[in-house]
Amino acid sequence: KSDLYIFLLEVAGIRGIFLANKKVDDQVKTYITYNKGRDWRLLQAPDVDLRGSPVHCLLPFCSLHLHLQISENPYSSGRISSKETAPGLVVATGNIGPELSYTDIGVFISSDGGNTWRQIFDEEYNVWFLDWGGALVAMKHTPLPVRHLWVSFDEGHSWDKYGFTSVPLFVDGALVEAGVETQIMTVFGHFSLRSEWQLVKVDYKSIFSRRCTKEDYQTWHLLNQGEPCVMGERKIFKKRKPGAQCALGRDSSGTVVSEPCVCADWDFECDYGYERHGESQCVPAFWYNPASPSKDCSLGQSYLNSTGYRRIVSNNCTDGLREKYTAKAQMCPGKAPRGLHVVTTDGRLVAEQGHNATFIILMEEGDLQGTNIQLDFGDGIAVSYANFSPIEDGIRHVYKSAGIFQVTAYAENNLGSDTAVLFLHVVCPVEHVHLRVPFVAIRNKEVNISAVVWPSQLGTLTYFWWFGNSTKPLITLDSSISFTFLAEGTNTITVQVAAGNALIQDTKDIAVHEYFQSQLLSFSPNLDYHNPDIPEWRQDIGNVIKRALVKVTGVPEDQILVAVFPGLPTSAELFILPPKNLTERRKGNEEDLEQIVEMLFNALNQNLVQFELKPGVQVIVYVTQLTLAPLVDSSAGHSSSAMLMLLSVVFVGLAVFLIYKFKRKIPWINIYAQVQHDKEQEMIGSVSQSENAPKITLSDFTEPEELLDKELDTRVIGMCAGTSKPPCPLSSTHKGSQPTGPVLQQVPDWR
C-alpha cells in the first residue's frame, strides 16, 4: 500500500480547508481537511443526481472525486474554482464512484465549504464568478460553436439562458473584467476556422435590478460534519438570499461572527520528532530522543520540553486541552561535549597563503556556555575561548607559509572533553612552470624529466604528466618523473601543475632516436652584444645556423638539430640525427653518421659556417667541445674500437703534458678546450624560413691561421696532426646498448 498526494488545493475564503487527491492502493481519491491536514476524510456524494434520482453511494467504497487542476489559462475557469469574496462556494468538475475518473464527469457545487455537494451539470462547463461571487455564469466546454450562456443567482439551483451572439461562435476563452462592479464579461473566439478573432463584450448590469439591502442577505454556519468549531473558531458568514437579483458590493460577503472555541484533540498535531499512532496519540519517532535538550541549552538555564503535541498553526482555540499539550519548562542538564566538528566557512579544505581562513566550530551536544574551546591552527599559533559565544561568527587566521596544517579543535567542561581535527592545505598561487627535458632521447632508454615551479615555496602541488598522444595523465606529487619512449619520432610532453584553484601548464617536444651524436658550439664574441636572451630569438638563430650547415655541407636538413642555450656567452648544441626514412637507415649504419659528423666538423674547423646577423655583423660558428662518448654497442668490433680510442686518449694526454712541461709552441697543433656549460637549456624546434631570418653570407670568411694564435688557458682534451682532420676522437654517439669497455660519456644538457 502506498499513499501519495497528487494535488493539493486550498479552498479560498476559509482558513484551514484543503482538498487533496491522494493515491491509495493504485486508486486516486479526493479527500478534504478542516484542520490543515491533521485529519482527512472522503467527500460525501450528493444524495440525488441532476434529475432528482437517488444516488446510491456508500462511504468508503464510493464517494465524490474532483479534478483539482487549476487553470493556467486566465481565459478559462479551470476544473475547480473558489473566490475569497465568496467564502464557502466551490465549483468543480468530477465524478461519483470508487475513484477519480475522466469519464461520466459532471459539474458539482458546494455552498458550505465542502460539507455537502450538489450536481449542477452532467457535462463539462466553464463556470465564472460574477458580481463578487453573487452570481454564476456558465458556458459549455465544447469544440462546437455556441450562442448561449447560463446565469444563476441562487448558487446553481436554477439557471437562466441568455444569448450573447446572433451567430454561433467558436469560443476560445472568456474573461471577467476586474472592476468595481465585476459585472462585465469579454468573450473571444471566431465564427469559422478561417475567420479572424471576434470579441464579444457582455454587460450584465441590466439584469441586476437594484442594489442589495440588508433584507437581501442571510447567514450560514461553517460546519465540519456537524461540528461548529473549525480551526478553533465558531464562524458565521452572510450571503445573498437565493433568487435576489440585486447587485452586491465589494464588502458584501464576509464573516459576521467569529468566536474562539475550547481546545480539543483535533486542534493539535504532532510536534517535531513525533509520529501519530491511532486517532490522536503522538509518540517519538525512532530517530528522535525527546530527553535530549537543545544544544543551546546551558547548565543553569531552562528549556521547553515538548509533550509531543503542538497547536495547529493559525488555530485560535483557547483553554480546554491547551494546557495539557503545552510544552513544559525544564532545567538544562549538564552534558559533556560530544560531536565536535571544525570546518571552514566555505566548506573547502584549501586556503591561500596570506589570506583569511575562517573556521567554524560545531558541537552536537554539550553546555555551550560552560565549555572551554581551544583551536590550534597547526602553525604554532592557538587561541582559547571560555565559551562558544564569541566564536559563533567564526575564527579567522592568516597563514604566512604554504603547506598542509593540522587544525585541531578541543572542547572541555567539567563533565568531559572532545576533539576534532581538520587538515588544511595552504597554497600560494602558482605563477609559472618550466618543463625541463633533454633535446634528444634514446629509444628504450629512461629519460629524467622535471618541472620547475615559481615561486618555489608553494606547499603541496599535484603534477599531471602527458606523454605523446596519451589520453590519461600520470599523476605525481613529485616535480620529476622518469619515462621511457618506445618509438622513434617527435614526442610532446605536457605537464600541468595544480595548486588550489590554480592550474598552469608547459609543453615541450623531444626527439627520440635509436642513436645520435651531439657537439657543443660557440660563436664569435660579437653575437653576445646582440643577444636579447629571449626564446624567439634563440629559435631563429638555431634555424639560421642549421640552414648554414645544410648549405655548406649538403647534409639533409632532417638530420641536423641546433638548440641555442639561454644566457651569456651565447652557446648552442648541435645534434646529428639518423635518417628518418627507415629504408635509408637500413642501407646505412652508424658509420654513415660518422661520415656526416666528419663533414660538419671539417666545415666548422675551417670556419666555413658563418652567417650575417645584420648588415655589417658577421658571426662565425666554432666547435666548442665533445659532449659524448664514441659510438658503442655490444658487437666485438666496436669493443676493440673503444679500447683503441682509450689508448689514443692516454697518448694524447701524455703529449699535452710534455708540451706544457717544456712550454713549447708547435704551430701545426690545433688545441681545443673543453668549456663546462652549467646553463639551463631550452628545446628549440625547427621553424620555417621567413623573410626576417638573417641572411647567410659565405664571403669574407676569417682565415684559419688567425685562430691558431688564440691560446686557451683551459684543459686540453685532444689534438691531431694536420689541418685536414677534426680533433680526435671526432665526436660522441648515443646508442641504446650499454658499452662493453671503459668509455668517456657525458649526459646531454637539460633545457
Side-chain angles (χ1 to χ4, degrees):
K1 178 179 179 179
S2 61
D3 296 352
L4 174 66
Y5 288 96
I6 301 176
F7 288 103
L8 183 67
L9 174 70
E10 183 177 12
V11 176
I14 303 177
R15 185 175 62 247
I17 301 181
F18 289 84
L19 290 165
N21 280 342
K22 184 178 180 183
K23 189 175 183 181
V24 181
D25 294 333
D26 295 328
Q27 289 184 326
V28 178
K29 300 175 182 288
T30 301
Y31 292 80
I32 190 169
T33 178
Y34 288 85
N35 51 13
K36 277 196 169 181
R38 180 192 183 277
D39 302 298
W40 294 90
R41 62 178 175 86
L42 294 168
L43 297 180
Q44 178 64 58
D47 295 330
V48 296
D49 60 13
L50 189 61
R51 299 169 183 81
S53 302
V55 175
H56 301 285
C57 185
L58 297 177
L59 293 173
F61 309 103
C62 176
S63 60
L64 174 64
H65 308 284
L66 305 177
H67 293 276
L68 303 182
Q69 297 95 327
I70 299 177
S71 174
E72 297 180 358
N73 182 1
Y75 307 109
S76 174
S77 65
R79 293 190 164 186
I80 185 170
S81 59
S82 60
K83 295 294 182 183
E84 290 281 348
T85 56
L89 193 61
V90 184
V91 181
T93 301
N95 66 283
I96 299 173
E99 63 177 329
L100 183 64
S101 172
Y102 288 88
T103 60
D104 298 328
I105 61 176
V107 180
F108 299 84
I109 189 170
S110 175
S111 303
D112 55 5
N115 275 281
T116 60
W117 295 84
R118 293 177 287 106
Q119 186 174 3
I120 56 177
F121 295 106
D122 56 3
E123 295 180 279
E124 190 170 359
Y125 275 72
N126 285 315
V127 180
W128 291 271
F129 289 81
L130 196 65
D131 189 32
W132 307 104
L136 300 176
V137 178
M139 185 179 298
K140 190 174 183 180
H141 186 77
T142 175
L144 301 177
V146 296
R147 297 178 54 224
H148 302 92
L149 49 78
W150 285 259
V151 180
S152 174
F153 290 92
D154 55 5
E155 298 176 347
H157 286 281
S158 62
W159 296 88
D160 296 325
K161 185 178 180 181
Y162 292 89
F164 68 93
T165 176
S166 58
V167 179
L169 182 70
F170 290 94
V171 177
D172 295 318
L175 181 65
V176 177
E177 297 183 8
V180 177
E181 303 297 335
T182 67
Q183 297 171 354
I184 299 175
M185 172 183 283
T186 302
V187 182
F188 58 93
H190 49 279
F191 293 125
S192 67
L193 297 178
R194 298 182 180 180
S195 66
E196 297 179 352
W197 268 17
Q198 305 294 324
L199 296 179
V200 180
K201 187 174 184 180
V202 183
D203 192 343
Y204 296 94
K205 292 181 181 180
S206 60
I207 64 176
F208 295 97
S209 58
R210 56 184 175 81
R211 279 280 184 182
C212 292
T213 62
K214 186 177 180 180
E215 289 74 19
D216 294 317
Y217 294 99
Q218 68 179 24
T219 60
W220 66 278
H221 296 258
L222 176 63
L223 303 176
N224 176 15
Q225 289 185 319
E227 170 59 45
C229 290
V230 176
M231 292 293 290
E233 290 181 306
R234 184 181 293 106
K235 290 188 176 182
I236 301 176
F237 296 88
K238 69 174 182 178
K239 62 181 177 180
R240 185 172 51 188
K241 292 179 180 179
Q245 261 182 267
C246 59
L248 298 175
R250 180 188 295 269
D251 301 324
S252 58
S253 298
T255 305
V256 177
V257 177
S258 178
E259 299 176 350
C261 298
V262 176
C263 292
D265 286 334
W266 53 77
D267 295 313
F268 295 86
E269 61 183 351
C270 292
D271 202 353
Y272 171 79
Y274 290 81
E275 297 175 343
R276 184 175 300 280
H277 282 242
E279 290 295 327
S280 59
Q281 184 182 9
C282 295
V283 298
F286 72 93
W287 50 267
Y288 182 71
N289 181 13
S292 176
S294 170
K295 64 179 182 178
D296 298 327
C297 191
S298 300
L299 187 64
Q301 297 179 341
S302 62
Y303 72 100
L304 293 176
N305 188 17
S306 175
T307 60
Y309 301 85
R310 64 185 177 192
R311 192 171 58 166
I312 298 172
V313 178
S314 302
N315 189 293
N316 294 325
C317 72
T318 59
D319 301 328
L321 297 177
R322 182 176 181 181
E323 182 64 24
K324 175 183 176 181
Y325 290 144
T326 301
K328 304 299 187 293
Q330 293 186 6
M331 297 302 296
C332 296
K335 301 186 67 175
R338 189 183 69 83
L340 191 67
H341 302 280
V342 55
V343 297
T344 58
T345 52
D346 55 6
R348 299 173 62 245
L349 299 178
V350 179
E352 287 192 13
Q353 176 185 336
H355 291 72
N356 269 328
T358 305
F359 300 94
I360 301 293
I361 299 179
L362 306 173
M363 188 168 62
E364 297 177 4
E365 291 185 5
D367 184 3
L368 298 183
Q369 298 299 323
T371 301
N372 298 324
I373 302 298
Q374 181 179 1
L375 184 63
D376 187 345
F377 299 107
D379 60 350
I381 301 176
V383 293
S384 298
Y385 298 89
N387 54 60
F388 264 80
S389 299
I391 62 175
E392 292 179 351
D393 297 331
I395 304 173
R396 295 179 177 87
H397 182 66
V398 176
Y399 287 91
K400 298 181 180 180
S401 60
I404 302 178
F405 297 89
Q406 177 177 318
V407 182
T408 305
Y410 181 76
E412 181 184 23
N413 60 19
N414 56 355
L415 297 177
S417 62
D418 196 9
T419 304
V421 175
L422 178 145
F423 292 94
L424 184 70
H425 292 246
V426 178
V427 298
C428 179
V430 182
E431 297 184 12
H432 180 71
V433 59
H434 177 72
L435 185 61
R436 301 179 62 183
V437 300
F439 300 113
V440 185
I442 298 176
R443 186 175 69 89
N444 291 328
K445 189 172 183 180
E446 195 173 70
V447 178
N448 293 323
I449 302 165
S450 62
V452 180
V453 180
W454 190 90
S456 58
Q457 301 298 326
L458 291 175
T460 303
L461 302 178
T462 305
Y463 297 83
F464 302 86
W465 308 86
W466 277 271
F467 295 92
N469 297 324
S470 62
T471 57
K472 294 183 179 181
L474 300 177
I475 303 175
T476 66
L477 297 178
D478 193 2
S479 61
S480 61
I481 191 173
S482 297
F483 189 79
T484 301
F485 294 95
L486 303 179
E488 294 187 66
T490 300
N491 287 268
T492 300
I493 303 175
T494 299
V495 63
Q496 288 185 337
V497 183
N501 293 329
L503 185 67
I504 59 175
Q505 76 173 32
D506 190 20
T507 301
K508 290 289 191 301
D509 290 333
I510 181 172
V512 180
H513 294 279
E514 189 75 26
Y515 53 88
F516 67 90
Q517 292 195 25
S518 64
Q519 174 66 47
L520 292 179
L521 303 177
S522 58
F523 306 92
S524 53
N526 57 350
L527 183 60
D528 293 342
Y529 295 105
H530 303 280
N531 185 351
D533 199 19
I534 59 176
E536 292 79 8
W537 183 87
R538 291 191 290 270
Q539 186 175 10
D540 290 339
I541 292 298
N543 291 331
V544 170
I545 299 170
K546 177 179 178 179
R547 290 194 295 269
L549 289 168
V550 171
K551 186 172 183 180
V552 172
T553 63
V555 176
E557 185 175 345
D558 59 358
Q559 289 191 252
I560 296 177
L561 175 64
V562 179
V564 180
F565 301 141
L568 294 174
T570 308
S571 60
E573 186 167 8
L574 169 64
F575 295 92
I576 302 94
L577 309 176
K580 289 186 177 181
N581 191 309
L582 294 178
T583 303
E584 294 180 3
R585 189 181 302 180
R586 293 191 186 99
K587 293 179 179 179
N589 50 34
E590 290 84 348
E591 296 179 358
D592 296 335
L593 199 64
E594 293 281 2
Q595 296 177 3
I596 296 176
V597 172
E598 186 174 352
M599 293 172 54
L600 292 171
F601 277 28
N602 282 335
L604 290 167
N605 289 331
Q606 296 178 28
N607 296 336
L608 298 180
V609 183
Q610 303 183 16
F611 63 90
E612 188 177 51
L613 185 65
K614 65 179 184 179
V617 179
Q618 198 75 17
V619 179
I620 305 174
V621 184
Y622 306 106
V623 172
T624 301
Q625 71 168 62
L626 304 178
T627 61
L628 292 176
L631 175 68
V632 293
D633 64 15
S634 58
S635 63
H638 286 290
S639 178
S640 59
S641 299
M643 293 298 296
L644 180 61
M645 187 65 66
L646 180 60
L647 294 175
S648 301
V649 171
V650 173
F651 175 77
V652 170
L654 181 61
V656 171
F657 173 76
L658 294 175
I659 291 175
Y660 274 86
K661 182 69 175 176
F662 297 101
K663 298 182 180 180
R664 299 178 58 185
K665 300 262 181 127
I666 304 176
W668 45 269
I669 295 180
N670 289 327
I671 301 176
Y672 295 89
Q674 178 180 359
V675 179
Q676 298 295 331
H677 284 262
D678 295 328
K679 298 178 292 181
E680 185 180 76
Q681 303 184 24
E682 294 181 332
M683 178 64 192
I684 308 298
S686 299
V687 295
S688 59
Q689 184 176 3
S690 63
E691 295 179 358
N692 297 329
K695 181 179 179 182
I696 302 173
T697 306
L698 300 179
S699 60
D700 300 326
F701 293 139
T702 304
E703 293 297 327
E705 289 76 14
E706 297 180 15
L707 296 178
L708 297 179
D709 298 330
K710 299 179 181 179
E711 234 180 52
L712 302 178
D713 295 328
T714 59
R715 179 167 56 90
V716 179
I717 63 170
M719 56 184 178
C720 291
T723 59
S724 61
K725 295 290 183 181
C728 298
L730 290 175
S731 68
S732 300
T733 302
H734 299 259
K735 184 173 175 61
S737 59
Q738 297 296 325
T740 58
V743 293
L744 177 64
Q745 189 169 10
Q746 177 180 333
V747 178
D749 287 341
W750 297 85
R751 310 177 193 201

